[in-house]
Structures are given as C-alpha cells and as structure tokens.
Amino acid sequence: MKLVILGATGTTGALAVKEALAAGHEVLAYVRNPARLAPSPGLTIVTGPVEDAAAMTAAFKGADAVLWCLGARWAPVMLFRRVDFQQRTLPRVIEAINNAGVKRFVLMSSLGVGDTASRQSPMLRLLLTGIVARNLFRDKQIAERALDDCRARWTAVYPVVLKDGPAEPDWDLIPIDRVKKVPGNPTLTFATVARALVALTLEQGEAGAKLLLAPKGQWQG
C-alpha cells in the first residue's frame, strides 16, 4: 500500500510513519519542514504547505490512502485568540484527495469535538471542551464539515486523552452513535493511536464512519 501521511513530523504522525514502514507499506510524508524527518527506506518526503491543493494533488497521485495526523500545537494564547488552522487546511486536503482520486481517507480528531463532547465526563467537558481546548476544538468542528465533500471512503477517529508510552495491546474502536458515555479520564498512548490509525487505512469500510478510540471496555453503550 502507498500511504500519504500528513503531520508526519508531529508526535502521532511520526509514530504512524514508523508503524507503516514497519508493516511494509510505502509511505509518502508531505511536510512543511523536511529537516524534522529522518530519511528511511520506503519513505518519500515531499515538501509543501497543506494550503496548496495543487501541490498536494500532485503528491497524492497514485496513493491508496491519506492519513491526517495534523493539528495546531496548543499554546496558552489559544485561550484568547481564534484558531483556524484546520478550517484553512482540511478543505484543501479534501480537494486534493478528490482531484488525485485517492480512495481512502482517515482523519485523526479528538474526543470532545462537535457532538462527541456529550460523551465526555462532565469534568473533561468543562475543562477541555469548555475552557482549555475550546478554540482548538471549535476549529476542528468547523473544519470537519468539509468531510461531506470528500469522495474517498473517509473515517474520522476521536481518541481519548493521549500520553507517552509504548503501544498498548488492546483498544476499542466503536461507532460514536453507539457510545453513551466515556466516564472519567481514560488515556491511550500516542503509539497506540498511531497503530490504530495505520490499521484503519487498510480497511474498506463505508464512507462516513465516526469512531471513538478508547482503552478496552472504558466506555458505556
């Protein structure tokens, strides 16, 4: 499989690159700063901005799937300023996916974005969605409306809170509409999420799936 990874220099994206290469896939990392990514067998690095749909279309040609691990890095200033990174970039990425004829798109989002906020515990809903990551999550919510225009089979994944550590052996990927509540403050490692995302790019599920990614059994249906 030829897999394009966006956000390959970020924490989850870099781990997804390693996971995909270890599985024997051909990986194309489309990045703004190639100096942050070490060359590796099976890895092609293409430099360009994610605002440039034409450049991405050329890079995506021949790819079987695109994996989105992009996200604005949180900073305290985001508490007070409008955040629009994903609103500016996700529609351009989807335009490139459509123009290049890519058949599969997997997007990493966050539990707490849009209607997934109602599944969080009251504490996280107040702290993250309501205060700390309010503007960040709103940016994602607005941007994800562009998924309706995606002609690829797309899946949006909403992981719980992330932490460092090795990949965990078990996790649940559950359709959001089957989840009533995710109690407490469950966590998964970045490596676990990277592994789950790469595995999803191989699946040929129906378009429009929205999935919770959580530790095994730590959700209520």
Side-chain angles (χ1 to χ4, degrees):
M1 181 182 73
K2 182 178 179 180
L3 172 61
V4 175
I5 297 182
L6 304 173
T9 60
T11 303
T12 306
L15 291 166
V17 169
K18 292 180 180 179
E19 186 73 29
L21 291 174
H25 302 305
E26 179 184 351
V27 177
L28 186 149
Y30 184 88
V31 297
R32 188 182 299 273
N33 183 2
R36 296 179 57 194
L37 196 61
S40 182
L43 173 64
T44 300
I45 302 173
V46 176
T47 305
V50 284
E51 293 87 353
D52 190 337
M56 288 188 291
T57 298
F60 295 177
K61 287 283 187 181
D64 298 294
V66 172
L67 172 57
W68 168 289
C69 296
L70 278 169
R73 295 181 183 276
W74 188 88
V77 70
M78 290 180 177
L79 293 170
F80 312 105
R81 291 185 182 175
R82 179 174 178 263
V83 179
D84 66 354
F85 172 75
Q86 298 215 17
Q87 295 172 62
R88 290 186 289 104
T89 58
L90 183 55
R92 303 287 78 75
V93 169
I94 289 173
E95 179 183 348
I97 287 171
N98 291 342
N99 290 341
V102 180
K103 301 300 184 183
R104 183 79 169 113
F105 179 44
V106 175
L107 177 139
M108 175 184 166
S109 186
S110 303
L111 181 65
V113 172
D115 59 6
T116 71
S118 64
R119 276 76 170 180
Q120 288 179 304
S121 67
M123 177 191 69
L124 282 186
R125 190 160 61 246
L126 173 63
L127 183 60
L128 288 181
T129 309
I131 302 175
V132 176
R134 177 185 58 203
N135 292 334
L136 198 63
F137 281 12
R138 177 171 173 76
D139 179 35
K140 292 184 179 186
Q141 177 184 352
I142 295 171
E144 288 174 19
R145 296 171 185 168
L147 288 168
D148 291 337
D149 299 322
C150 186
R151 295 198 290 270
R153 293 186 303 276
W154 62 263
T155 298
V157 181
Y158 298 84
V160 295
V161 176
L162 303 185
K163 62 182 180 181
D164 292 326
E168 297 152 306
D170 295 310
W171 63 84
D172 282 331
L173 269 170
I174 305 296
I176 285 290
D177 59 10
R178 286 179 50 196
V179 178
K180 292 182 179 179
K181 187 178 180 182
V182 183
N185 181 25
T187 60
L188 283 173
T189 63
F190 292 102
T192 304
V193 175
R195 179 165 295 178
L197 292 172
V198 171
L200 271 173
T201 63
L202 298 172
E203 296 187 4
Q204 304 298 317
E206 294 183 4
K210 294 185 176 183
L211 307 176
L212 167 72
L213 178 55
K216 193 80 173 173
Q218 293 191 31
W219 56 279
Q220 297 175 3

